[in-house]
C-alpha cells in the first residue's frame, strides 16, 4: 500500500491550484512522513493491517515558545475484518517538517497558520486545510477532539455500513 501511495501521491485538485511548487513539495514530504508514522500505533501492533484513510489535526504556536498538540487517526483493517479507527504517534521528524512548511508559507507572504488539518486517502490523494485562529487545545480546551467520530463520518460519506 505504501509503494502505491508514494507512486500516486497527488494533492487534492483544488488545493494544488493555490499552492506554489516549493510549498507543494514540502506538503508531499509531510504526507510521506505521516504515512510512514501511521503504523506506529499507541495501543496495538500494526500487524497485517492495510490503511484506507489518515487524518491529522496539528496545532502549532511558534511565537509562544514552539508549542504543539497533535491528534492522529488511521482508518485501517485486517484482511476480511471491519475498519478500525486507530491512533498513531507522529514523529518529531514529521513535526519538524510541518514547521518547515509553515515557515515556507510565511516566507511567501502568507499568514502563519496555527492549525493544520491533513487528510490522506489510500489512493494517494491528500488535502491540507489551514486555520489561523487560536489553537483550541494549546489554549486550554483539552477536550477539543476534531477527529472524534472519524470512522462513522468516513463510512457515512461513502455509504458504507
Amino acid at each position: 500500500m505504501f509503494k502505491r501511495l508514494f507512486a500516486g501521491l497527488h494533492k487534492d485538485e483544488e488545493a494544488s491550484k493555490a499552492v506554489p511548487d516549493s510549498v507543494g513539495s514540502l506538503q508531499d514530504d509531510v504526507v510521506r512522513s505521516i504515512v510512514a508514522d501511521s503504523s506506529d500505533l499507541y495501543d496495538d501492533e500494526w500487524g497485517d493491517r492495510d490503511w484506507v484513510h489518515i487524518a491529522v489535526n496539528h496545532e502549532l504556536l511558534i511565537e509562544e515558545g514552539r508549542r504543539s498538540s497533535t491528534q492522529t487517526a488511521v482508518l485501517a483493517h485486517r484482511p476480511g475484518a471491519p475498519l478500525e479507527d486507530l491512533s498513531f504517534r507522529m514523529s518529531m521528524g514529521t513535526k519538524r517538517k510541518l514547521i518547515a512548511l509553515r515557515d515556507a508559507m510565511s516566507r511567501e507572504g502568507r499568514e502563519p497558520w496555527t492549525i493544520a488539518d491533513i487528510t490522506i486517502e489510500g489512493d494517494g490523494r491528500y488535502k491540507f486545510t489551514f486555520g489561523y485562529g487560536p489553537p483550541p487545545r494549546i489554549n486550554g480546551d483539552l477536550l477539543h477532539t476534531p477527529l472524534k467520530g472519524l470512522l462513522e463520518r468516513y463510512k457515512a460519506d461513502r455509504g458504507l455500513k
Side-chain angles (χ1 to χ4, degrees), residues 100-150:
L101 173 63
R102 182 182 183 270
D103 291 348
M105 293 172 74
S106 294
R107 282 191 300 276
E108 292 181 350
R110 297 179 188 204
E111 181 181 355
W113 52 265
T114 55
I115 303 165
D117 287 304
I118 306 159
T119 56
I120 308 165
E121 301 298 332
D123 65 4
R125 288 177 296 127
Y126 66 81
K127 183 176 183 180
F128 282 73
T129 305
F130 300 103
Y132 300 89
R137 286 186 306 280
I138 292 176
N139 282 311
D141 183 359
L142 301 179
L143 299 178
H144 179 70
T145 54
L147 300 182
K148 185 175 184 172
L150 178 67

Side-chain angles (χ1 to χ4, degrees), residues 51-93:
W51 67 272
V52 298
H53 182 80
I54 298 172
V56 172
N57 173 266
H58 184 70
E59 297 181 358
L60 178 63
L61 278 181
I62 298 289
E63 294 75 17
E64 297 180 15
R66 194 178 284 187
R67 296 184 300 153
S68 70
S69 176
T70 306
Q71 290 185 355
T72 61
V74 58
L75 303 183
H77 60 88
R78 295 181 189 276
L83 276 177
E84 303 171 86
D85 185 349
L86 305 160
S87 293
F88 63 93
R89 292 172 194 85
M90 198 162 78
S91 70
M92 290 307 296

